[in-house]
């Protein structure tokens, strides 16, 4: 059987591009992603990157030009793609939202009936409005959607929002969330057995990196009389590692804690007598 590299479609520029490249490199996959490159072969893994416009990624994977891809969930939904989502990657989080100019008297979605709404996501917006029985004039545009109300093209917009700073700068305020989105790993269903094996290996690495991002490695010194109390604060994946120190009456504890709440845990550890606390980022984590 003819063997070839697994082809992955990734965004060549934009909000997901840098994070995707960082993810693959944290998977210890080395490649050259120099400016303007459209494709790149990995040095140490049977993988070929295709650098594409985000809107093109679902179609390239569906057509078999690429075997898998990393794309925003919003793009996948707008394309009405049936591709399988294998992993939610935890970066590129945003929301597709409706925003109106400040001063627009907005109480509920019905206030948009008969209004002009500019968007790059007509399918998702149209479905959202239809489900709520609101009939509006949807203008499909690309590029800087947020300027549309200011130049008289629309009464409102529907666009991706992360921090909201762009809306604020353009005198807009968010009023409705159409959908939440993040980067996802997708794959076509008809991979050959050799390609499926490569994809499984890639997915294994990606999951290890994604899991590591959610956790921190913690090391600390603790007085032996407080070991029980401190161990209960950091249970770890199974239980923390406890090793005696050269200084009598003290032990070193190593464990893993969730990144989201590590500061409250560190404060409790300090209050319980722990010293020399180190909190370290993890590159890969395999459960």
């Amino acid at each position: 059987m003819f063997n070839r590299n697994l082809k992955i479609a990734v965004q060549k520029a934009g909000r997901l591009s840098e994070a995707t490249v960082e993810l693959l490199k944290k998977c210890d996959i080395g490649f050259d992603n120099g400016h303007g490159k459209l494709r790149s072969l990995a040095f140490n893994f049977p993988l070929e990157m295709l650098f594409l416009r985000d809107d093109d990624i679902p179609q390239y994977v569906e057509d078999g030009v690429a075997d898998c891809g990393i794309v925003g969930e919003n793009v996948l939904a707008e394309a009405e793609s049936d591709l399988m989502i294998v992993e939610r990657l935890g970066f590129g989080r945003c929301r597709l939202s409706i925003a109106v100019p400040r001063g627009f008297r907005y109480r509920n979605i019905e206030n948009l009936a008969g209004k002009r709404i500019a968007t790059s996501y007509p399918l998702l917006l149209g479905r959202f409005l239809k489900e709520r029985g609101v009939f509006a004039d949807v203008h499909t545009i690309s590029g800087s959607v947020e300027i549309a109300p200011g130049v008289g093209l629309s009464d409102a917009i529907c666009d991706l929002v992360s921090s909201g700073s762009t809306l604020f700068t353009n005198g807009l305020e968010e009023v409705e969330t159409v959908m939440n989105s993040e980067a996802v790993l997708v794959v076509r269903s008809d991979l050959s057995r050799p390609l499926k094996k490569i994809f499984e290996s890639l997915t294994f690495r990606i999951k290890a990196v994604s899991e590591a991002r959610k956790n921190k490695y913690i090391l600390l010194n603790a007085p032996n009389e407080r070991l029980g109390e401190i161990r209960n604060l950091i249970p770890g994946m199974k239980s923390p590692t406890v090793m005696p120190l050269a200084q009598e009456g003290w032990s070193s504890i190593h464990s893993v804690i969730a990144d989201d709440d590590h500061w409250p845990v560190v404060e409790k550890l300090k209050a319980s007598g722990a010293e020399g606390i180190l909190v370290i980022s993890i590159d890969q984590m395999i459960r």
Side-chain angles (χ1 to χ4, degrees), residues 253-275:
I253 300 180
H254 299 216
S255 191
V256 173
I257 57 176
D259 184 35
D260 287 346
D261 60 359
H262 82 267
W263 278 114
V265 171
V266 168
E267 290 173 2
K268 291 176 183 177
L269 290 169
K270 184 67 176 173
S272 297
E275 296 181 2

Side-chain angles (χ1 to χ4, degrees), residues 12 34 36-40 49-52:
K12 67 178 179 181
K37 264 186 171 289
L38 298 179
R39 59 189 292 269
S40 181
M49 277 67 66
L50 304 178
F51 298 100
L52 307 172

Side-chain angles (χ1 to χ4, degrees), residues 215-235:
N215 295 277
K216 296 285 189 185
Y217 191 74
I218 187 167
L219 305 85
L220 57 94
N221 298 329
N224 289 344
E225 66 268 17
R226 308 294 291 274
L227 277 182
E229 177 184 346
I230 289 173
R231 286 174 61 179
N232 288 334
L233 293 172
I234 47 170

Side-chain angles (χ1 to χ4, degrees), residues 4-9 48 50 52 56-69 81 83 187-192 195:
R4 63 170 175 83
N5 293 324
L6 182 77
K7 293 182 179 180
I8 183 169
E48 179 179 350
L50 304 178
L52 307 172
D56 293 335
I57 291 175
Q59 195 63 54
Y60 270 64
V61 178
E62 287 180 353
D63 290 346
V65 178
D67 303 305
C68 57
S81 175
L83 292 172
V187 66
R188 58 189 181 90
S189 59
D190 59 344
L191 290 185
S192 65
L195 289 178

Side-chain angles (χ1 to χ4, degrees), residues 81-96:
S81 175
D82 293 327
L83 292 172
M84 182 191 312
I85 295 177
V86 177
E87 185 78 7
R88 297 183 181 276
L89 300 175
F91 61 82
R93 286 195 174 112
C94 61
R95 55 200 177 273
L96 181 64

Side-chain angles (χ1 to χ4, degrees), residues 100-102 146-150 157 164-173:
V100 298
R102 288 196 293 271
E146 65 275 0
I147 69 171
I157 70 165
S165 59
T166 302
L167 294 183
F168 181 81
T169 301
N170 286 276
L172 301 170
E173 60 181 351

